[in-house]
Amino acid sequence: MFTRVVEGRARVVREIRAAGPLLSAIAVPTTARGPWLAAALHAAPPPARRARHRAVVVEAHRHGRPAGLALLTSRSRLRRGRPVTVVRLLGDDGVPGPPGSAPRRLPAADPEVAGLLAEGITDLLAGVRGRWQLDLSGLPLGDPVLAALGARLGTGAAFRTSRSRSLVDTLGTGALRSTDPALLEGRLPVFLEHRPAGARRADLRALARVHAAAGQLEHAIVLAGGVPTAGLLTLLDGPVRRPWWGFGPDGGSDDAPGQPWVSLTASGQGR
């Protein structure tokens, strides 16, 4: 097995594409697949310093397909007047995905690869100049890479578990439902007017169009006198429906208990 690190948007996109079979084999959610991650990479950077994008890759053969993949972003922040490099998973500070299921993944083909991937992340942190803070969130309970990473970081690592709330479609049989990308164009402006808090219009528009073009987005509206009064966008992971966001008297949806999410935080000093 070989472990390597690549840096830069173009190189990270190539690794995401190469990992397609791995992501399909372990059935990761839409928010951990290529189109969503590529959109997160190309989202406009904040006014602060640009992020560094890196991929830690584990592969059985050099230049082969990834058997394990960690997609990370890092930014320099000031904490108590001192610069700290904050390392997070790609997409963590981007467009919020469908609530309810853990949106992030550290994909690994088997326990051996999970250990090597954790080792690669630890080595990357050791090479950071100055102080660093690791903040990995939105991962599923029992993630093997997270467990191996916590063991390597020791007492400086802290786990936190929280249960999310998922959306339940309440539009009923009266809603006009479609997966037609052309029809979405006429409906998208009203959805964007009711976009999730903190989400940029341009990023949401791009994500909706990409997933609609792939047949992975259902858009549903309820009309009264020809005017949309409620609506809901739903991401389709094969047979699994993941309501994303909506509008209307009740937001086009109700909520229910979701899956537990796990986070890992740690801090230390690099080189």
Side-chain angles (χ1 to χ4, degrees):
M1 288 286 184
F2 301 92
T3 303
R4 57 186 173 84
V5 177
V6 302
E7 182 170 351
R9 292 186 183 186
R11 291 180 176 179
V12 171
V13 166
R14 283 199 293 270
E15 298 301 335
I16 294 172
R17 290 173 178 166
L22 171 66
L23 302 180
S24 296
I26 60 178
V28 302
T30 300
T31 48
R33 289 182 180 268
W36 192 283
L37 296 173
L41 270 172
H42 292 94
R49 296 180 183 178
R50 298 173 68 93
R52 295 179 67 182
H53 303 292
R54 282 174 283 194
V56 181
V57 184
V58 178
E59 56 193 5
H61 308 284
R62 293 193 185 278
H63 308 298
R65 291 192 179 277
L69 184 66
L71 302 169
L72 304 170
T73 63
S74 61
R75 288 188 176 91
S76 181
R77 309 282 193 188
L78 284 178
R79 298 284 166 85
R80 298 180 180 178
R82 298 175 60 188
V84 178
T85 299
V86 180
V87 181
R88 307 180 70 181
L89 289 170
L90 174 63
D92 260 6
D93 53 358
V95 173
S101 59
R104 306 286 164 245
R105 289 295 186 273
L106 287 166
D110 56 47
E112 179 189 0
V113 172
L116 291 172
L117 193 56
E119 184 177 334
I121 296 172
T122 306
D123 290 344
L124 184 149
L125 294 172
V128 171
R129 188 183 300 276
R131 297 171 62 225
W132 54 262
Q133 177 179 316
L134 182 67
D135 185 3
L136 306 182
S137 61
L139 289 159
L141 196 65
D143 183 279
V145 179
L146 208 59
L149 188 57
R152 283 166 172 76
L153 294 173
T155 57
F159 290 92
R160 185 179 69 255
T161 303
S162 59
R163 183 172 289 277
S164 65
R165 302 292 294 181
S166 63
L167 295 182
V168 179
D169 188 337
T170 60
L171 294 183
T173 57
L176 303 177
R177 300 176 185 271
S178 175
T179 57
D180 184 352
L183 188 57
L184 172 68
E185 289 303 311
R187 297 177 174 181
L188 197 50
V190 69
F191 280 104
L192 293 175
E193 288 299 323
H194 299 88
R195 62 190 179 276
R200 287 171 21 97
R201 183 188 295 265
D203 297 339
L204 283 170
R205 183 186 296 113
L207 277 171
R209 285 173 171 170
V210 164
H211 288 86
Q216 295 178 314
L217 182 71
E218 179 191 271
H219 39 97
I221 60 169
V222 175
L223 298 176
V227 178
T229 58
L232 184 67
L233 293 182
T234 300
L235 285 174
L236 307 175
D237 277 339
V240 180
R241 297 171 55 83
R242 304 188 191 278
W244 188 6
W245 94 85
F247 66 94
D250 57 1
S253 61
D254 200 352
D255 66 350
Q259 299 174 358
W261 296 7
V262 182
S263 302
L264 169 67
T265 57
S267 59
Q269 184 78 28
R271 57 188 173 85

